[in-house]
């Protein structure tokens, strides 16, 4: 089938997203008609306009996705990940996931709320429905991201203060 699976046999969305990020750099067989984009560095803020779409049928292409997801906002880019081994043999089979970029994070959020878990005849691979989520799913949403960073800094600062206090107390006991 050409999809990445976890050793347990289930889908590994993170692995698929990482593979897609690696492919995005070259925009080879998985490219769409829109301009390319470079992979994000780890320090760069996540793009909340970009949505991961999983559990699509192997036959789905960019136009089909744009037709279905276009009703939730203006699509800048759609990218179906194609199975390059089968494509080289002349068979057009996708890897059963894609990415869609909207013009705003709000439009992406609306698409996620309306499409996640939904079964759409001719698009969805099986009756389990689509998996639709932010591409940067492992990271908090934009407003929460800054708050989480601040909390982490506070926790690190408190831990450093605790360590200094323990060191000071040990020195006091030794004297």
């Amino acid at each position: 089938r050409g999809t990445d699976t976890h050793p347990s046999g289930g889908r590994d969305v993170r692995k698929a997203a990482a593979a897609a990020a690696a492919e995005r750099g070259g925009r080879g067989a998985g490219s769409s008609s829109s301009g390319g984009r470079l992979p994000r560095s780890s320090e760069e803020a996540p793009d909340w306009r970009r949505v991961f779409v999983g559990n699509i049928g192997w036959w789905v292409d960019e136009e089909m996705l744009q037709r279905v997801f276009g009703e939730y906002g203006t699509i800048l880019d759609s990218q179906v990940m194609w199975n390059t081994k089968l494509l080289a043999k002349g068979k057009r089979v996708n890897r059963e996931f894609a990415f869609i970029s909207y013009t705003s994070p709000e439009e992406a959020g609306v698409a996620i709320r309306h499409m996640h878990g939904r079964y759409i005849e001719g698009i969805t691979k099986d009756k389990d429905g689509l998996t639709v989520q932010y591409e940067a799913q492992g990271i908090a949403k934009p407003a929460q991201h800054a708050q989480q960073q601040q909390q982490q800094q506070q926790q690190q600062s408190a831990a450093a203060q605790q360590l200094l206090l323990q060191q000071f107390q040990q020195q006091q006991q030794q004297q």
Side-chain angles (χ1 to χ4, degrees), residues 4 27 33-34 42 51 59 71 83 86 95 103 112 117 129 138 143 147-148 151 159:
D4 293 327
R27 300 289 286 184
S33 58
S34 317
S42 59
V51 174
W59 57 87
E71 63 185 87
N83 183 324
L86 291 178
R95 294 176 57 202
T103 55
I112 290 168
Q147 185 180 22
Q148 277 187 342
Q151 286 175 349

Side-chain angles (χ1 to χ4, degrees), residues 4-64:
D4 293 327
T5 57
H6 190 270
S8 66
R11 293 213 169 258
D12 188 353
V13 174
R14 287 188 188 119
K15 187 174 182 181
E23 280 187 19
R24 234 181 301 150
R27 300 289 286 184
S31 67
S32 70
S33 58
S34 317
R37 67 179 238 154
L38 296 174
R40 237 187 359 254
S41 71
S42 59
E43 290 84 33
E44 188 179 336
D47 186 358
W48 298 105
R49 300 171 301 167
R50 195 158 167 89
V51 174
F52 169 87
V53 181
N55 203 31
I56 61 174
W58 59 266
W59 57 87
V60 176
D61 62 12
E62 284 86 0
E63 290 87 29
M64 294 172 84

Side-chain angles (χ1 to χ4, degrees), residues 36-109:
R37 67 179 238 154
L38 296 174
R40 237 187 359 254
S41 71
S42 59
E43 290 84 33
E44 188 179 336
D47 186 358
W48 298 105
R49 300 171 301 167
R50 195 158 167 89
V51 174
F52 169 87
V53 181
N55 203 31
I56 61 174
W58 59 266
W59 57 87
V60 176
D61 62 12
E62 284 86 0
E63 290 87 29
M64 294 172 84
L65 281 178
Q66 287 180 0
R67 220 174 315 124
V68 172
F69 281 83
E71 63 185 87
Y72 301 105
T74 305
I75 295 176
L76 296 175
D77 179 38
S78 65
Q79 181 182 16
V80 171
M81 302 288 92
W82 296 102
N83 183 324
T84 54
K85 289 179 183 177
L86 291 178
L87 198 60
K89 295 178 182 178
K91 298 177 182 175
R92 194 165 158 89
V93 175
N94 73 43
R95 294 176 57 202
E96 299 176 355
F97 69 97
F99 295 94
I100 298 174
S101 295
Y102 285 95
T103 55
S104 74
E106 292 78 21
E107 291 174 339

